[in-house]
Amino acid sequence: MYALIDGNNFYVSCERVFRPSLQGRPVIVLSNNDGCAIARSNEAKALGIKMGSPWFQIRHLEEEAGLVALSANFCLYGDMSDRMMGLAAGLGPTQEIYSIDESFVGLDGVRGNLVERAHRIRARILVWTGIPCGIGIGSTKTLAKLANHIAKTAERKPGSYPSELAQVCDLSALPPEELDAVLAATEVGEVWGVGRKIGAQLNDAGVRTVLDLVRSDPATIRRRWGVVLERTVRELQGLPCIGLDDAPAPKKEIACTRSFGRPLTDLVPLIEAVSEFAGRAAEKLRKQDGQAGQVLVFAHTSPHRPGPRFHRSVIVPLRRPSADTPALVRAAVAGVHQLFQPGYALIKAGVILLDLTPASRVQHELSLEDDAPDHGRARLMRAMDTLNGRYGRGTVHSASTGLDDANRAWGMRQERRTPNYTTRWAEVPVARA
DNA sequence: TCTGGGGTCCTAGGACCC
DNA sequence: TCTGGGGTCCTAGGACCC
């Protein structure tokens, strides 16, 4: 038996904790560069704002409907997530943190009334962190996900489902006829693993509701759509196929990619940006104690704007695996030189570290060159990571990222970011009696 | 003016091996 | 006339997730 706990409209809820005046109002959080909506309060959803709606298309709602838009503050969300996850873990013996706002909890061995227990945990998270959650319970992860969707929808849209399923929904506790009614009232596209494409194909094949999918034949599904969807069907039928992953494997690739605040046409700022991305990616790489064998660099023009298109990527192999920022930055910059062509308005670039191996696996060799591995380098990198962790990102960085941080041609637009309420002493809110 | 970022898994096809 | 069988590894592309 599994539970899925997730924060409602998570980023918006984090912002509301520190700005209670946002309660009850339409609020969205924007992606990097204030490009499009990535989180929406219920009121914003009611205005018809879709996930991913471009900001310039919905901006008029500021005036017309009192919409509040905030720039994403990922430091805040990450810290609030840690607090929420710690409390959610109290629901059962094992936990898989699945995303910044969701975790699965294994419920094996938990005694007593699960629904009551879930309500207690939910209330505790709300009081202790200020984040409202939904909890779904089911005999498989896919059913727990579905139950979670129903718990949240029942709360947000009264009448959509029986009201006692709001906030906490245990599908395994429903009598068969009620379960069928709930599944028949849910579109197949809501199922975990059914996206836009497959959802449309299923609809064409006459499979419209979750009940239709549950009653379909797994072998037929497999022939047409493959093993992934077959597994989904079996999970919906109550056969566990996906286990709890409470010790996630190290990443197989690590990326740092960004859209620019404005298009770049010159080589120099592109080199600065890519150097910065390589440094950030290297930091993540060291955090998982890995090393990279290859560095991929890409840059491209906007798919949305007119003008000549450009989309290129280059893979630069490293002579030996490394987690050293200067080595990775050098490789990335070499890649930029290879792919760059003048005359294009580039709006995005990125660095992806590939071919990752644990740093503990070292290929020893006779060192004849002056860039041979050196334990002094590793200590230098650790010192850099510590400084940046303590005093803030960018305290120490490669000179090739440019020295004038404020005037970077490629900097992100973030005009509406809230303070780091919980992670920077200088920005902690002050309570007055 | 103007549309995010970071991942995973599966499959098909080709190269290559014995 | 006409060319096996079985396997691995790699890559690119597609679909999905949040």
Side-chain angles (χ1 to χ4, degrees):
Chain A
M1 197 66 73
Y2 297 94
L4 181 81
I5 310 181
D6 81 341
N8 299 347
N9 316 327
F10 184 65
Y11 298 164
V12 167
S13 295
C14 290
E15 299 286 354
R16 280 179 167 169
V17 171
F18 296 93
R19 284 176 63 180
S21 63
L22 297 177
Q23 295 291 349
R25 300 186 58 180
V27 180
I28 59 174
V29 171
L30 298 170
S31 65
N32 280 335
N33 276 318
D34 298 339
C36 55
I38 56 171
R40 306 157 294 153
S41 71
N42 291 346
E43 299 79 5
K45 289 174 188 171
L47 286 177
I49 298 173
K50 300 272 178 275
M51 190 69 171
S53 292
W55 173 229
F56 72 89
Q57 286 176 4
I58 54 178
R59 177 163 213 159
H60 60 97
L61 294 171
E62 260 185 318
E63 293 281 312
E64 294 165 17
L67 175 65
V68 177
L70 299 169
S71 301
N73 182 347
F74 291 112
C75 289
L76 173 67
Y77 311 149
D79 186 65
M80 295 300 286
S81 172
D82 291 344
R83 296 162 193 244
M84 183 179 84
M85 294 303 175
L87 294 169
L91 191 53
T94 49
Q95 182 183 38
E96 171 188 344
I97 294 176
Y98 178 67
S99 75
I100 193 163
D101 73 326
E102 285 176 70
S103 68
F104 288 100
V105 173
L107 300 175
D108 292 345
V110 176
R111 287 194 266 178
N113 184 317
L114 283 178
V115 171
E116 283 173 18
R117 184 186 175 88
H119 273 291
R120 280 200 304 276
I121 294 281
R122 186 187 177 278
R124 183 185 296 169
I125 293 172
L126 185 59
V127 172
W128 290 13
T129 70
I131 304 286
C133 290
I135 302 184
I137 298 171
S139 58
T140 65
K141 286 170 87 175
T142 304
L143 284 167
K145 275 285 265 191
L146 188 68
N148 174 277
H149 166 78
I150 290 162
K152 286 193 301 187
T153 309
E155 182 180 14
R156 186 158 66 86
K157 295 185 190 164
S160 55
Y161 295 104
S163 60
E164 62 271 20
L165 301 182
Q167 301 182 348
V168 172
C169 168
D170 181 356
L171 285 180
S172 73
L174 290 184
E177 319 82 68
E178 280 183 46
L179 179 62
D180 284 359
V182 164
L183 298 181
T186 308
E187 287 177 25
V188 75
E190 302 296 345
V191 171
W192 189 38
V194 177
R196 256 216 334 263
K197 186 105 178 195
I198 292 174
Q201 291 168 353
L202 285 170
N203 275 320
D204 288 347
V207 179
R208 302 189 166 275
T209 71
V210 182
L211 188 63
D212 295 336
L213 189 60
V214 168
R215 292 188 171 164
S216 62
D217 170 38
T220 310
I221 293 287
R222 179 181 190 137
R223 267 196 303 280
R224 169 129 185 230
W225 285 281
V227 294
V228 180
L229 194 64
E230 181 200 11
R231 205 150 52 202
T232 296
V233 170
R234 293 197 190 274
E235 280 244 322
L236 285 173
Q237 294 171 344
L239 180 72
C241 304
I242 308 172
L244 195 80
D245 192 3
D246 55 355
K251 303 245 176 291
K252 295 173 178 172
E253 48 187 68
I254 290 176
C256 183
T257 72
R258 290 280 178 284
S259 297
F260 304 128
R262 54 176 189 266
L264 297 184
T265 50
D266 296 335
L267 179 59
V268 171
L270 183 63
I271 287 176
E272 288 182 7
V274 165
S275 299
E276 163 89 5
F277 302 157
R280 292 273 307 118
E283 215 176 299
K284 296 186 204 172
L285 178 63
R286 292 191 291 271
K287 204 163 276 173
Q288 76 166 34
D289 214 20
Q291 47 188 0
Q294 299 180 317
V295 179
L296 181 150
V297 186
F298 71 84
H300 61 78
T301 50
S302 171
H304 305 290
R305 296 188 215 185
R309 296 290 174 86
F310 179 92
H311 195 132
R312 285 184 68 180
S313 67
V314 169
I315 292 180
V316 182
L318 297 172
R319 214 178 52 75
R320 66 166 71 79
S322 176
D324 184 66
T325 289
L328 296 169
V329 169
R330 266 200 303 279
V333 171
V336 173
H337 282 289
Q338 277 182 51
L339 65 72
F340 181 76
Q341 281 178 30
Y344 295 98
L346 303 171
I347 49 97
K348 182 168 176 173
V351 170
I352 305 178
L353 304 180
L354 304 170
D355 193 12
L356 306 188
T357 48
S360 54
R361 192 192 305 165
V362 179
Q363 172 76 51
H364 290 285
E365 62 178 75
L366 183 60
S367 305
L368 297 175
E369 303 94 352
D370 53 9
D371 69 336
D374 168 359
H375 294 297
R377 305 286 312 183
R379 286 176 55 202
L380 176 63
M381 289 302 106
R382 270 202 295 280
M384 196 165 112
D385 292 341
T386 307
L387 284 169
N388 286 334
R390 188 173 306 163
Y391 299 107
R393 182 169 298 161
T395 303
V396 187
H397 61 83
S398 290
S400 57
T401 63
L403 296 175
D404 186 0
D405 293 6
N407 279 314
R408 290 167 161 178
W410 46 277
M412 271 194 298
R413 279 194 311 271
Q414 270 207 324
E415 291 162 4
R416 309 150 170 269
R417 221 205 65 217
T418 52
N420 288 309
Y421 298 109
T422 62
T423 53
R424 295 250 83 95
W425 283 111
E427 300 178 24
V428 171
V430 176
R432 293 192 185 81

